[in-house]
Short mmCIF file of all heavy atoms in Angstrom, two decimals:
data_model
loop_
_atom_site.label_atom_id
_atom_site.label_comp_id
_atom_site.label_asym_id
_atom_site.label_seq_id
_atom_site.Cartn_x
_atom_site.Cartn_y
_atom_site.Cartn_z
N THR A 1494 103.34 87.80 99.64
CA THR A 1494 103.43 86.96 100.81
C THR A 1494 102.86 87.69 102.00
O THR A 1494 103.14 88.88 102.15
CB THR A 1494 104.90 86.57 101.14
OG1 THR A 1494 105.47 86.02 99.96
CG2 THR A 1494 104.97 85.61 102.30
N LEU A 1495 102.05 87.07 102.78
CA LEU A 1495 101.40 87.69 103.94
C LEU A 1495 102.34 87.71 105.11
O LEU A 1495 102.88 86.68 105.50
CB LEU A 1495 100.12 86.92 104.24
CG LEU A 1495 99.15 87.58 105.22
CD1 LEU A 1495 98.67 88.95 104.69
CD2 LEU A 1495 97.96 86.66 105.42
N ARG A 1496 102.55 88.88 105.68
CA ARG A 1496 103.43 89.05 106.84
C ARG A 1496 102.60 89.59 107.99
O ARG A 1496 101.57 90.21 107.80
CB ARG A 1496 104.55 90.03 106.52
CG ARG A 1496 105.45 89.60 105.41
CD ARG A 1496 106.39 90.69 105.04
NE ARG A 1496 105.58 91.70 104.36
CZ ARG A 1496 106.06 92.89 103.93
NH1 ARG A 1496 107.30 93.17 104.13
NH2 ARG A 1496 105.28 93.74 103.34
N HIS A 1497 103.06 89.37 109.21
CA HIS A 1497 102.43 89.93 110.37
C HIS A 1497 103.08 91.25 110.69
O HIS A 1497 104.30 91.36 110.70
CB HIS A 1497 102.53 89.00 111.59
CG HIS A 1497 101.70 87.77 111.43
ND1 HIS A 1497 100.37 87.76 111.70
CD2 HIS A 1497 102.02 86.53 111.02
CE1 HIS A 1497 99.91 86.55 111.46
NE2 HIS A 1497 100.89 85.78 111.03
N ALA A 1498 102.26 92.29 110.95
CA ALA A 1498 102.81 93.61 111.29
C ALA A 1498 103.06 93.66 112.79
O ALA A 1498 102.17 93.39 113.58
CB ALA A 1498 101.80 94.72 110.92
N MET A 1499 104.28 93.93 113.15
CA MET A 1499 104.62 94.03 114.56
C MET A 1499 105.38 95.35 114.79
O MET A 1499 106.48 95.52 114.30
CB MET A 1499 105.47 92.86 114.96
CG MET A 1499 104.78 91.53 114.74
SD MET A 1499 105.50 90.16 115.55
CE MET A 1499 105.31 90.58 117.23
N ASN A 1500 104.73 96.25 115.48
CA ASN A 1500 105.33 97.56 115.80
C ASN A 1500 105.85 98.27 114.56
O ASN A 1500 106.95 98.80 114.56
CB ASN A 1500 106.45 97.38 116.82
CG ASN A 1500 105.95 96.76 118.10
OD1 ASN A 1500 104.86 97.05 118.53
ND2 ASN A 1500 106.76 95.92 118.71
N VAL A 1501 105.07 98.24 113.51
CA VAL A 1501 105.48 98.91 112.27
C VAL A 1501 105.05 100.36 112.31
O VAL A 1501 103.85 100.63 112.44
CB VAL A 1501 104.87 98.19 111.04
CG1 VAL A 1501 105.20 98.95 109.76
CG2 VAL A 1501 105.36 96.77 110.97
N VAL A 1502 106.01 101.24 112.20
CA VAL A 1502 105.69 102.64 112.10
C VAL A 1502 106.18 103.05 110.69
O VAL A 1502 107.30 102.92 110.35
CB VAL A 1502 106.41 103.47 113.17
CG1 VAL A 1502 106.15 104.95 112.95
CG2 VAL A 1502 106.00 103.02 114.52
N ASP A 1503 105.21 103.50 109.90
CA ASP A 1503 105.53 103.77 108.49
C ASP A 1503 104.69 104.94 108.05
O ASP A 1503 103.53 105.06 108.46
CB ASP A 1503 105.18 102.51 107.68
CG ASP A 1503 105.86 102.50 106.31
OD1 ASP A 1503 106.26 103.56 105.85
OD2 ASP A 1503 105.99 101.39 105.78
N THR A 1504 105.24 105.78 107.22
CA THR A 1504 104.50 106.94 106.73
C THR A 1504 103.76 106.58 105.47
O THR A 1504 102.97 107.38 104.96
CB THR A 1504 105.45 108.10 106.40
OG1 THR A 1504 106.46 107.68 105.48
CG2 THR A 1504 106.12 108.58 107.70
N ASP A 1505 104.00 105.40 104.89
CA ASP A 1505 103.34 104.95 103.69
C ASP A 1505 101.87 104.60 104.02
O ASP A 1505 101.58 103.97 105.03
CB ASP A 1505 104.02 103.71 103.18
CG ASP A 1505 103.69 103.38 101.73
OD1 ASP A 1505 102.92 104.11 101.11
OD2 ASP A 1505 104.27 102.39 101.26
N ARG A 1506 100.96 105.01 103.14
CA ARG A 1506 99.53 104.72 103.34
C ARG A 1506 99.31 103.22 103.15
O ARG A 1506 99.82 102.63 102.23
CB ARG A 1506 98.70 105.49 102.32
CG ARG A 1506 97.21 105.22 102.44
CD ARG A 1506 96.45 106.16 101.49
NE ARG A 1506 95.05 105.83 101.54
CZ ARG A 1506 94.39 104.90 100.82
NH1 ARG A 1506 95.08 104.24 99.89
NH2 ARG A 1506 93.14 104.71 100.94
N CYS A 1507 98.51 102.66 104.00
CA CYS A 1507 98.13 101.26 103.91
C CYS A 1507 96.75 101.18 103.28
O CYS A 1507 95.83 101.86 103.70
CB CYS A 1507 98.13 100.59 105.26
SG CYS A 1507 99.78 100.44 105.94
N MET A 1508 96.63 100.33 102.27
CA MET A 1508 95.36 100.19 101.54
C MET A 1508 94.67 98.93 101.97
O MET A 1508 95.31 97.94 102.35
CB MET A 1508 95.65 100.13 100.04
CG MET A 1508 96.31 101.40 99.51
SD MET A 1508 96.72 101.27 97.75
CE MET A 1508 95.05 101.32 97.04
N THR A 1509 93.32 98.95 101.91
CA THR A 1509 92.54 97.74 102.18
C THR A 1509 92.62 96.81 101.00
O THR A 1509 92.96 97.20 99.88
CB THR A 1509 91.08 98.09 102.49
OG1 THR A 1509 90.46 98.58 101.30
CG2 THR A 1509 90.95 99.10 103.62
N PHE A 1510 92.20 95.60 101.24
CA PHE A 1510 92.16 94.56 100.22
C PHE A 1510 91.27 95.02 99.09
O PHE A 1510 91.63 94.92 97.90
CB PHE A 1510 91.61 93.29 100.88
CG PHE A 1510 91.89 92.05 100.13
CD1 PHE A 1510 93.09 91.37 100.29
CD2 PHE A 1510 90.94 91.50 99.30
CE1 PHE A 1510 93.34 90.20 99.59
CE2 PHE A 1510 91.19 90.31 98.59
CZ PHE A 1510 92.39 89.68 98.76
N ASP A 1511 90.06 95.56 99.43
CA ASP A 1511 89.13 96.04 98.40
C ASP A 1511 89.70 97.19 97.58
O ASP A 1511 89.52 97.26 96.36
CB ASP A 1511 87.82 96.47 99.06
CG ASP A 1511 87.03 95.28 99.61
OD1 ASP A 1511 87.35 94.13 99.29
OD2 ASP A 1511 86.08 95.54 100.40
N GLU A 1512 90.38 98.13 98.26
CA GLU A 1512 90.96 99.28 97.54
C GLU A 1512 91.99 98.80 96.51
O GLU A 1512 92.03 99.31 95.40
CB GLU A 1512 91.63 100.21 98.52
CG GLU A 1512 90.68 101.03 99.37
CD GLU A 1512 91.41 101.83 100.42
OE1 GLU A 1512 92.41 101.39 101.00
OE2 GLU A 1512 90.96 102.98 100.66
N VAL A 1513 92.79 97.86 96.89
CA VAL A 1513 93.86 97.38 96.00
C VAL A 1513 93.26 96.62 94.84
O VAL A 1513 93.63 96.86 93.69
CB VAL A 1513 94.89 96.47 96.75
CG1 VAL A 1513 95.90 95.90 95.76
CG2 VAL A 1513 95.62 97.30 97.81
N ALA A 1514 92.28 95.76 95.09
CA ALA A 1514 91.63 95.03 93.99
C ALA A 1514 91.04 96.01 93.01
O ALA A 1514 91.21 95.83 91.76
CB ALA A 1514 90.54 94.12 94.54
N GLU A 1515 90.38 97.07 93.49
CA GLU A 1515 89.80 98.07 92.57
C GLU A 1515 90.90 98.84 91.84
O GLU A 1515 90.79 99.07 90.62
CB GLU A 1515 88.94 99.03 93.38
CG GLU A 1515 88.22 100.03 92.51
CD GLU A 1515 87.28 100.95 93.30
OE1 GLU A 1515 86.75 100.51 94.33
OE2 GLU A 1515 87.10 102.10 92.87
N ARG A 1516 91.96 99.23 92.54
CA ARG A 1516 93.01 100.02 91.94
C ARG A 1516 93.68 99.31 90.79
O ARG A 1516 93.96 99.89 89.76
CB ARG A 1516 94.06 100.37 93.00
CG ARG A 1516 95.37 100.96 92.53
CD ARG A 1516 95.39 102.48 92.38
NE ARG A 1516 94.97 103.23 93.53
CZ ARG A 1516 95.79 103.80 94.42
NH1 ARG A 1516 97.10 103.65 94.31
NH2 ARG A 1516 95.30 104.50 95.41
N ILE A 1517 93.95 98.00 90.96
CA ILE A 1517 94.64 97.26 89.93
C ILE A 1517 93.70 96.55 88.97
O ILE A 1517 94.13 95.95 87.99
CB ILE A 1517 95.69 96.28 90.48
CG1 ILE A 1517 95.06 95.18 91.30
CG2 ILE A 1517 96.75 97.06 91.31
CD1 ILE A 1517 96.05 94.14 91.79
N GLY A 1518 92.40 96.62 89.26
CA GLY A 1518 91.40 96.10 88.33
C GLY A 1518 91.33 94.58 88.28
O GLY A 1518 91.18 94.00 87.20
N VAL A 1519 91.39 93.96 89.45
CA VAL A 1519 91.28 92.49 89.52
C VAL A 1519 90.23 92.10 90.58
O VAL A 1519 89.86 92.91 91.43
CB VAL A 1519 92.61 91.81 89.84
CG1 VAL A 1519 93.66 92.08 88.80
CG2 VAL A 1519 93.11 92.18 91.23
N SER A 1520 89.79 90.87 90.51
CA SER A 1520 88.85 90.35 91.50
C SER A 1520 89.59 90.15 92.84
O SER A 1520 90.84 90.08 92.87
CB SER A 1520 88.24 89.06 91.06
OG SER A 1520 89.20 88.04 91.02
N LYS A 1521 88.85 89.99 93.88
CA LYS A 1521 89.44 89.72 95.21
C LYS A 1521 90.19 88.38 95.20
O LYS A 1521 91.23 88.26 95.81
CB LYS A 1521 88.37 89.76 96.30
CG LYS A 1521 87.80 91.12 96.52
CD LYS A 1521 86.74 91.05 97.58
CE LYS A 1521 85.97 92.34 97.64
NZ LYS A 1521 84.88 92.30 98.64
N SER A 1522 89.65 87.39 94.52
CA SER A 1522 90.32 86.11 94.47
C SER A 1522 91.64 86.16 93.70
O SER A 1522 92.63 85.53 94.08
CB SER A 1522 89.42 85.01 93.87
OG SER A 1522 89.03 85.35 92.58
N THR A 1523 91.67 86.98 92.64
CA THR A 1523 92.93 87.17 91.90
C THR A 1523 93.95 87.88 92.75
O THR A 1523 95.13 87.53 92.80
CB THR A 1523 92.67 87.92 90.60
OG1 THR A 1523 91.81 87.15 89.77
CG2 THR A 1523 93.96 88.22 89.86
N LEU A 1524 93.52 88.91 93.51
CA LEU A 1524 94.42 89.64 94.40
C LEU A 1524 94.97 88.68 95.42
O LEU A 1524 96.18 88.73 95.72
CB LEU A 1524 93.71 90.81 95.04
CG LEU A 1524 94.53 91.59 96.03
CD1 LEU A 1524 95.85 92.13 95.44
CD2 LEU A 1524 93.73 92.72 96.64
N GLN A 1525 94.16 87.80 95.97
CA GLN A 1525 94.63 86.84 96.96
C GLN A 1525 95.70 85.92 96.36
O GLN A 1525 96.68 85.63 97.01
CB GLN A 1525 93.47 86.00 97.49
CG GLN A 1525 93.91 85.01 98.60
CD GLN A 1525 94.52 85.74 99.79
OE1 GLN A 1525 93.92 86.62 100.36
NE2 GLN A 1525 95.70 85.31 100.17
N ARG A 1526 95.50 85.51 95.11
CA ARG A 1526 96.53 84.70 94.44
C ARG A 1526 97.85 85.50 94.27
O ARG A 1526 98.92 84.93 94.47
CB ARG A 1526 96.02 84.21 93.09
CG ARG A 1526 95.04 83.06 93.20
CD ARG A 1526 94.78 82.36 91.89
NE ARG A 1526 94.26 83.26 90.85
CZ ARG A 1526 92.97 83.53 90.65
NH1 ARG A 1526 92.09 83.02 91.43
NH2 ARG A 1526 92.62 84.34 89.69
N TYR A 1527 97.74 86.78 93.90
CA TYR A 1527 98.95 87.60 93.74
C TYR A 1527 99.69 87.73 95.07
O TYR A 1527 100.92 87.71 95.13
CB TYR A 1527 98.61 88.99 93.25
CG TYR A 1527 98.20 89.09 91.79
CD1 TYR A 1527 97.47 90.18 91.33
CD2 TYR A 1527 98.49 88.09 90.87
CE1 TYR A 1527 97.06 90.27 90.00
CE2 TYR A 1527 98.08 88.16 89.56
CZ TYR A 1527 97.39 89.27 89.12
OH TYR A 1527 97.01 89.36 87.81
N ILE A 1528 98.92 87.91 96.16
CA ILE A 1528 99.56 87.99 97.48
C ILE A 1528 100.22 86.67 97.87
O ILE A 1528 101.38 86.64 98.31
CB ILE A 1528 98.52 88.45 98.53
CG1 ILE A 1528 98.15 89.91 98.27
CG2 ILE A 1528 99.10 88.32 99.94
CD1 ILE A 1528 96.95 90.39 99.09
N SER A 1529 99.49 85.57 97.65
CA SER A 1529 100.06 84.26 98.02
C SER A 1529 101.28 83.88 97.18
O SER A 1529 102.23 83.31 97.71
CB SER A 1529 98.99 83.18 97.80
OG SER A 1529 97.91 83.41 98.68
N ALA A 1530 101.26 84.27 95.89
CA ALA A 1530 102.41 83.97 95.03
C ALA A 1530 103.58 84.90 95.20
O ALA A 1530 104.69 84.56 94.77
CB ALA A 1530 101.92 84.01 93.56
N GLY A 1531 103.36 86.06 95.78
CA GLY A 1531 104.45 86.95 96.08
C GLY A 1531 104.59 88.24 95.32
O GLY A 1531 105.30 89.14 95.78
N PRO A 1532 103.93 88.46 94.16
CA PRO A 1532 104.14 89.72 93.46
C PRO A 1532 103.63 90.94 94.24
O PRO A 1532 104.20 92.01 94.08
CB PRO A 1532 103.30 89.57 92.18
CG PRO A 1532 103.09 88.13 91.98
CD PRO A 1532 103.13 87.52 93.36
N ILE A 1533 102.65 90.75 95.08
CA ILE A 1533 102.15 91.87 95.90
C ILE A 1533 102.32 91.51 97.37
O ILE A 1533 101.67 90.62 97.88
CB ILE A 1533 100.68 92.19 95.57
CG1 ILE A 1533 100.55 92.58 94.11
CG2 ILE A 1533 100.17 93.27 96.50
CD1 ILE A 1533 99.10 92.87 93.69
N PRO A 1534 103.22 92.20 98.07
CA PRO A 1534 103.42 91.93 99.45
C PRO A 1534 102.26 92.51 100.27
O PRO A 1534 101.73 93.58 99.94
CB PRO A 1534 104.73 92.59 99.81
CG PRO A 1534 104.96 93.57 98.73
CD PRO A 1534 104.19 93.15 97.55
N ALA A 1535 101.87 91.84 101.33
CA ALA A 1535 100.81 92.28 102.22
C ALA A 1535 101.17 91.93 103.63
O ALA A 1535 102.04 91.10 103.88
CB ALA A 1535 99.48 91.62 101.84
N PHE A 1536 100.49 92.55 104.59
CA PHE A 1536 100.69 92.21 105.97
C PHE A 1536 99.36 92.11 106.69
O PHE A 1536 98.36 92.65 106.23
CB PHE A 1536 101.66 93.14 106.67
CG PHE A 1536 101.25 94.58 106.68
CD1 PHE A 1536 100.55 95.10 107.74
CD2 PHE A 1536 101.55 95.42 105.63
CE1 PHE A 1536 100.16 96.44 107.75
CE2 PHE A 1536 101.21 96.77 105.64
CZ PHE A 1536 100.50 97.26 106.71
N GLN A 1537 99.37 91.38 107.78
CA GLN A 1537 98.17 91.09 108.51
C GLN A 1537 98.20 91.84 109.83
O GLN A 1537 99.18 91.77 110.58
CB GLN A 1537 98.13 89.57 108.77
CG GLN A 1537 96.85 89.07 109.30
CD GLN A 1537 96.85 87.53 109.30
OE1 GLN A 1537 97.84 86.90 108.98
NE2 GLN A 1537 95.74 86.97 109.68
N LEU A 1538 97.11 92.55 110.13
CA LEU A 1538 96.98 93.21 111.44
C LEU A 1538 96.14 92.30 112.32
O LEU A 1538 95.01 92.00 112.02
CB LEU A 1538 96.27 94.57 111.29
CG LEU A 1538 96.96 95.58 110.36
CD1 LEU A 1538 96.09 96.79 110.19
CD2 LEU A 1538 98.31 95.95 110.94
N GLY A 1539 96.72 91.90 113.42
CA GLY A 1539 96.04 90.92 114.28
C GLY A 1539 96.54 89.54 113.96
O GLY A 1539 97.08 89.26 112.91
N GLY A 1540 96.38 88.62 114.89
CA GLY A 1540 96.96 87.32 114.72
C GLY A 1540 95.95 86.20 114.44
O GLY A 1540 96.35 85.07 114.29
N ARG A 1541 94.69 86.50 114.39
CA ARG A 1541 93.72 85.45 114.21
C ARG A 1541 93.11 85.48 112.80
O ARG A 1541 93.19 86.51 112.13
CB ARG A 1541 92.60 85.61 115.23
CG ARG A 1541 93.13 85.48 116.63
CD ARG A 1541 91.97 85.33 117.61
NE ARG A 1541 92.50 85.05 118.92
CZ ARG A 1541 92.52 85.89 119.92
NH1 ARG A 1541 92.07 87.11 119.76
NH2 ARG A 1541 93.02 85.55 121.05
N SER A 1542 92.46 84.38 112.41
CA SER A 1542 91.82 84.41 111.12
C SER A 1542 90.73 85.48 111.17
O SER A 1542 90.13 85.73 112.20
CB SER A 1542 91.21 83.03 110.80
OG SER A 1542 90.20 82.76 111.76
N GLY A 1543 90.48 86.08 110.02
CA GLY A 1543 89.55 87.17 109.98
C GLY A 1543 90.17 88.52 110.31
O GLY A 1543 89.47 89.52 110.36
N SER A 1544 91.50 88.52 110.57
CA SER A 1544 92.14 89.77 110.87
C SER A 1544 92.30 90.59 109.58
O SER A 1544 92.09 90.11 108.48
CB SER A 1544 93.50 89.52 111.53
OG SER A 1544 94.31 88.77 110.69
N LEU A 1545 92.68 91.82 109.72
CA LEU A 1545 92.73 92.74 108.61
C LEU A 1545 94.01 92.57 107.81
O LEU A 1545 95.10 92.49 108.36
CB LEU A 1545 92.67 94.18 109.13
CG LEU A 1545 91.42 94.53 109.93
CD1 LEU A 1545 91.59 95.92 110.56
CD2 LEU A 1545 90.18 94.44 109.09
N ILE A 1546 93.84 92.55 106.51
CA ILE A 1546 94.99 92.49 105.57
C ILE A 1546 95.19 93.87 104.98
O ILE A 1546 94.20 94.50 104.56
CB ILE A 1546 94.78 91.44 104.46
CG1 ILE A 1546 94.71 90.07 105.06
CG2 ILE A 1546 95.88 91.56 103.39
CD1 ILE A 1546 94.37 88.97 104.04
N ARG A 1547 96.40 94.35 104.98
CA ARG A 1547 96.70 95.66 104.40
C ARG A 1547 97.89 95.54 103.44
O ARG A 1547 98.76 94.67 103.59
CB ARG A 1547 97.08 96.68 105.49
CG ARG A 1547 95.92 96.99 106.43
CD ARG A 1547 94.85 97.79 105.67
NE ARG A 1547 93.75 98.13 106.52
CZ ARG A 1547 92.58 97.49 106.57
NH1 ARG A 1547 92.40 96.40 105.86
NH2 ARG A 1547 91.61 97.92 107.35
N ILE A 1548 97.89 96.42 102.47
CA ILE A 1548 98.93 96.45 101.46
C ILE A 1548 99.42 97.88 101.38
O ILE A 1548 98.61 98.82 101.30
CB ILE A 1548 98.40 95.99 100.07
CG1 ILE A 1548 97.86 94.54 100.16
CG2 ILE A 1548 99.50 96.06 99.03
CD1 ILE A 1548 96.36 94.44 100.19
N ARG A 1549 100.73 98.08 101.38
CA ARG A 1549 101.28 99.45 101.29
C ARG A 1549 101.04 100.00 99.89
O ARG A 1549 101.27 99.34 98.89
CB ARG A 1549 102.76 99.43 101.63
CG ARG A 1549 103.05 99.21 103.06
CD ARG A 1549 104.55 99.37 103.35
NE ARG A 1549 104.77 99.24 104.75
CZ ARG A 1549 105.01 98.08 105.38
NH1 ARG A 1549 105.08 96.97 104.67
NH2 ARG A 1549 105.20 98.03 106.67
N GLU A 1550 100.64 101.27 99.86
CA GLU A 1550 100.38 101.92 98.57
C GLU A 1550 101.62 101.97 97.72
O GLU A 1550 101.53 101.77 96.48
CB GLU A 1550 99.83 103.33 98.83
CG GLU A 1550 99.32 104.01 97.61
CD GLU A 1550 98.59 105.32 97.93
OE1 GLU A 1550 98.95 105.99 98.92
OE2 GLU A 1550 97.64 105.62 97.21
N SER A 1551 102.76 102.12 98.32
CA SER A 1551 104.03 102.14 97.53
C SER A 1551 104.27 100.80 96.87
O SER A 1551 104.82 100.71 95.77
CB SER A 1551 105.21 102.56 98.40
OG SER A 1551 105.38 101.65 99.45
N ASP A 1552 103.91 99.69 97.56
CA ASP A 1552 104.08 98.39 96.95
C ASP A 1552 103.14 98.19 95.75
O ASP A 1552 103.53 97.61 94.76
CB ASP A 1552 103.82 97.27 98.00
CG ASP A 1552 104.92 97.17 99.06
OD1 ASP A 1552 106.06 97.55 98.71
OD2 ASP A 1552 104.61 96.75 100.15
N VAL A 1553 101.91 98.70 95.87
CA VAL A 1553 100.96 98.63 94.76
C VAL A 1553 101.50 99.41 93.59
O VAL A 1553 101.51 98.93 92.46
CB VAL A 1553 99.58 99.12 95.21
CG1 VAL A 1553 98.63 99.16 94.00
CG2 VAL A 1553 99.00 98.25 96.30
N ALA A 1554 102.01 100.61 93.83
CA ALA A 1554 102.54 101.46 92.75
C ALA A 1554 103.74 100.79 92.12
O ALA A 1554 103.89 100.82 90.88
CB ALA A 1554 102.92 102.85 93.32
N ARG A 1555 104.61 100.19 92.89
CA ARG A 1555 105.79 99.52 92.35
C ARG A 1555 105.40 98.35 91.45
O ARG A 1555 105.91 98.19 90.36
CB ARG A 1555 106.69 99.03 93.51
CG ARG A 1555 107.93 98.28 93.07
CD ARG A 1555 108.77 97.80 94.26
NE ARG A 1555 108.00 97.17 95.32
CZ ARG A 1555 107.45 95.94 95.26
NH1 ARG A 1555 107.64 95.19 94.18
NH2 ARG A 1555 106.81 95.44 96.28
N VAL A 1556 104.44 97.54 91.88
CA VAL A 1556 104.00 96.40 91.10
C VAL A 1556 103.32 96.85 89.84
O VAL A 1556 103.58 96.31 88.76
CB VAL A 1556 103.07 95.49 91.95
CG1 VAL A 1556 102.36 94.48 91.10
CG2 VAL A 1556 103.84 94.80 93.07
N MET A 1557 102.50 97.87 89.94
CA MET A 1557 101.80 98.36 88.73
C MET A 1557 102.81 98.94 87.73
O MET A 1557 102.66 98.76 86.53
CB MET A 1557 100.77 99.44 89.13
CG MET A 1557 99.58 98.83 89.85
SD MET A 1557 98.36 100.10 90.34
CE MET A 1557 97.69 100.56 88.75
N SER A 1558 103.82 99.62 88.24
CA SER A 1558 104.85 100.14 87.39
C SER A 1558 105.62 99.02 86.66
O SER A 1558 105.88 99.09 85.47
CB SER A 1558 105.83 101.00 88.20
OG SER A 1558 106.92 101.42 87.41
N ARG A 1559 105.93 98.00 87.40
CA ARG A 1559 106.63 96.83 86.84
C ARG A 1559 105.77 96.16 85.76
O ARG A 1559 106.25 95.83 84.70
CB ARG A 1559 106.96 95.84 87.92
CG ARG A 1559 107.92 94.78 87.48
CD ARG A 1559 108.36 93.82 88.58
NE ARG A 1559 108.20 94.32 89.93
CZ ARG A 1559 107.88 93.60 90.99
NH1 ARG A 1559 107.68 92.29 90.84
NH2 ARG A 1559 107.78 94.08 92.16
N TRP A 1560 104.45 96.05 86.01
CA TRP A 1560 103.58 95.46 85.03
C TRP A 1560 103.49 96.30 83.78
O TRP A 1560 103.45 95.79 82.67
CB TRP A 1560 102.17 95.26 85.62
CG TRP A 1560 102.08 94.14 86.62
CD1 TRP A 1560 102.94 93.11 86.79
CD2 TRP A 1560 101.01 93.94 87.55
NE1 TRP A 1560 102.50 92.25 87.77
CE2 TRP A 1560 101.33 92.78 88.27
CE3 TRP A 1560 99.88 94.64 87.87
CZ2 TRP A 1560 100.50 92.27 89.27
CZ3 TRP A 1560 99.03 94.14 88.87
CH2 TRP A 1560 99.35 93.00 89.55
N SER A 1561 103.44 97.64 83.96
CA SER A 1561 103.29 98.51 82.79
C SER A 1561 104.55 98.46 81.89
O SER A 1561 104.45 98.60 80.69
CB SER A 1561 102.96 99.93 83.20
OG SER A 1561 104.07 100.56 83.84
N THR A 1562 105.73 98.31 82.49
CA THR A 1562 106.95 98.24 81.72
C THR A 1562 107.10 96.91 81.00
O THR A 1562 107.80 96.81 79.98
CB THR A 1562 108.22 98.53 82.55
OG1 THR A 1562 108.29 97.58 83.59
CG2 THR A 1562 108.16 99.92 83.11
N ARG A 1563 106.43 95.90 81.51
CA ARG A 1563 106.51 94.57 80.89
C ARG A 1563 105.32 94.32 79.96
O ARG A 1563 105.26 93.29 79.35
CB ARG A 1563 106.44 93.48 81.99
CG ARG A 1563 107.70 93.32 82.75
CD ARG A 1563 107.61 92.03 83.50
NE ARG A 1563 108.36 92.10 84.74
CZ ARG A 1563 108.17 91.28 85.75
NH1 ARG A 1563 107.27 90.34 85.68
NH2 ARG A 1563 108.90 91.40 86.84
N GLY A 1564 104.35 95.24 79.94
CA GLY A 1564 103.23 95.08 79.05
C GLY A 1564 102.15 94.20 79.59
O GLY A 1564 101.39 93.58 78.86
N GLY A 1565 102.02 94.11 80.91
CA GLY A 1565 100.92 93.33 81.50
C GLY A 1565 101.32 92.61 82.78
O GLY A 1565 102.41 92.78 83.25
N ARG A 1566 100.39 91.83 83.28
CA ARG A 1566 100.61 91.13 84.54
C ARG A 1566 101.29 89.85 84.25
O ARG A 1566 101.68 89.02 84.80
CB ARG A 1566 99.27 90.90 85.24
CG ARG A 1566 98.62 92.19 85.63
CD ARG A 1566 97.30 91.95 86.30
NE ARG A 1566 96.68 93.25 86.53
CZ ARG A 1566 95.64 93.68 85.88
NH1 ARG A 1566 95.02 92.97 84.99
NH2 ARG A 1566 95.19 94.87 86.14
#
């Protein structure tokens, strides 16, 4: 689910949309579906369309770990 980042101070690395798609081995459209459906949380920097979408590296690792224990996506 896409959230808006407001005054978020976090030590977790934020990954770009492209980095996450490459890391988990899916297309950008598939990653967008995962974000919209909820398995991968993301947040939006800026309030207008075309703003930057970021995903926390710890969230990517958590989802990948869950997928590996279940045997897939």
Side-chain angles (χ1 to χ4, degrees):
T1494 307
L1495 192 59
R1496 298 171 289 177
H1497 290 279
M1499 302 194 63
N1500 300 323
V1501 175
V1502 176
D1503 200 338
T1504 58
D1505 197 0
R1506 178 176 177 270
C1507 293
M1508 300 177 70
T1509 66
F1510 199 84
D1511 291 345
E1512 288 174 322
V1513 174
E1515 184 176 331
R1516 169 87 53 98
I1517 65 175
V1519 298
S1520 68
K1521 292 178 190 179
S1522 59
T1523 298
L1524 177 57
Q1525 183 60 53
R1526 284 194 301 272
Y1527 288 161
I1528 291 169
S1529 295
I1533 299 178
F1536 59 94
Q1537 190 171 5
L1538 299 174
R1541 298 193 173 106
S1542 65
S1544 59
L1545 301 173
I1546 294 174
R1547 294 292 182 261
I1548 301 103
R1549 287 186 177 89
E1550 190 169 33
S1551 61
D1552 289 332
V1553 174
R1555 180 182 44 75
V1556 168
M1557 290 179 71
S1558 174
R1559 192 176 339 146
W1560 286 343
S1561 68
T1562 59
R1563 286 194 211 162
R1566 296 180 185 108

